Amino acid sequence: MMRPALALAIVAALVPTVGAQQPVKGTLAGVQNYAHVETTIACAGAVDPDAAMPEIKKLGFVSVINLRQAGEPGANVEAEQAAAERVGLKYFHVPVNGAAPDPKSADAFLAAIRTPGAEPAFIHCATGNRAAAMWLIKRIAIDHWDTAKATEEANGLGLTSAPLRQFALDYAAAHK
């Protein structure tokens, strides 16, 4: 007969961990700073639209949410949208100013991610920082995750800016 502690240990080993998955850093053609959590979300930095969009589609993502401002160096929003649509990806442009984030941008991001059929989503900016911040907001405000667990995941996805992290936490707390 099996001891209760041993039985519990076996069951615990067989049951997947509930909660935050550890972000996985990787490489993807045409993408800088690629990190993903299972197949639900990928956060990344700058992309080369022609090289990246077919690869993003092959990985099973159904939408791209671009957080770059149109005036940023290297942010060719029109070319990226055209490349995404050519391969059948939904495309959302939600410009976020990382130095002075606006709650309206967070509202627009949440509207985009809540669009039916938007997930799994590939979310990117120039470095991955804004993408991870917006995902942090989603985890707390929509998924009702614990703040510490959501912050840990966002940090693993590329959130490095303390002011951007604070904006995300403040916004999420006000929109739970």
Side-chain angles (χ1 to χ4, degrees), residues 48-109:
D48 170 354
D50 292 326
M53 295 306 154
E55 297 301 314
I56 291 166
K57 176 76 173 183
K58 283 181 196 173
L59 289 175
F61 294 99
V62 297
S63 72
V64 172
I65 303 174
N66 179 0
L67 303 176
R68 297 185 78 182
Q69 295 178 298
E72 289 180 37
N76 191 338
V77 175
E78 295 80 17
E80 183 174 317
Q81 182 172 359
E85 290 173 353
R86 253 192 318 277
V87 299
L89 293 166
K90 292 179 183 178
Y91 186 82
F92 302 91
H93 182 227
V94 180
V96 175
N97 181 334
D102 184 337
K104 290 179 184 174
S105 294
D107 293 342
F109 171 77

Side-chain angles (χ1 to χ4, degrees), residues 83-164:
E85 290 173 353
R86 253 192 318 277
V87 299
L89 293 166
K90 292 179 183 178
Y91 186 82
F92 302 91
H93 182 227
V94 180
V96 175
N97 181 334
D102 184 337
K104 290 179 184 174
S105 294
D107 293 342
F109 171 77
L110 292 178
I113 200 71
R114 285 178 140 166
T115 299
E119 289 189 69
F122 180 90
I123 305 165
H124 82 94
C125 55
T127 64
N129 201 25
R130 289 172 284 179
M134 291 298 112
W135 188 248
L136 173 59
I137 289 171
K138 191 255 189 201
R139 285 298 203 193
I140 296 170
I142 295 175
D143 298 341
H144 307 290
W145 275 31
D146 171 76
T147 300
K149 179 173 72 167
T151 302
E152 179 183 351
E153 182 182 68
N155 292 341
L157 286 168
L159 181 57
T160 59
S161 165
L164 196 53

